[in-house]
Amino acid sequence: MAEIPTVADLTLEMLRQMRDRNQKADLELLDLKMRASAQEDHMAGIVTTLAGISHRLDRIDERLGRIERRLDLVDARS
């Protein structure tokens, strides 16, 4: 004759299933956190690169201004 599961057995089985799902969700959350952190690092690198490019463009603009002044290519008002 088959045993009839008790309420305690059913509850225990449900709790085990919930624990398993919770562990899977924890792993997925950890993966998402790692990916978000990698994205943040990547964005920080892009911002740093853009700052460097901006600085170089400013220097080029200054040098071009000096060249134009030396060759008298700009108005006296500038």
Side-chain angles (χ1 to χ4, degrees), residues 33-57:
K33 285 181 179 180
M34 289 172 49
R35 291 173 63 187
S37 179
Q39 289 291 334
E40 290 170 352
D41 291 344
H42 184 66
M43 288 299 295
I46 290 172
V47 168
T48 302
T49 300
L50 287 175
I53 291 170
S54 178
H55 180 68
R56 290 181 69 189
L57 287 173

Side-chain angles (χ1 to χ4, degrees), residues 11 24 30 34:
T11 303
K24 288 177 186 176
L30 179 61
M34 289 172 49

Side-chain angles (χ1 to χ4, degrees), residues 6-59:
T6 63
V7 173
D9 292 335
L10 293 173
T11 303
L12 183 60
E13 180 58 31
M14 289 177 67
L15 288 172
R16 286 181 179 146
Q17 289 174 1
M18 290 170 60
R19 180 190 60 204
D20 292 342
R21 282 191 302 245
N22 192 29
Q23 287 174 343
K24 288 177 186 176
D26 286 344
L27 290 174
E28 289 176 8
L29 181 60
L30 179 61
D31 180 53
L32 289 173
K33 285 181 179 180
M34 289 172 49
R35 291 173 63 187
S37 179
Q39 289 291 334
E40 290 170 352
D41 291 344
H42 184 66
M43 288 299 295
I46 290 172
V47 168
T48 302
T49 300
L50 287 175
I53 291 170
S54 178
H55 180 68
R56 290 181 69 189
L57 287 173
D58 289 343
R59 288 182 46 222

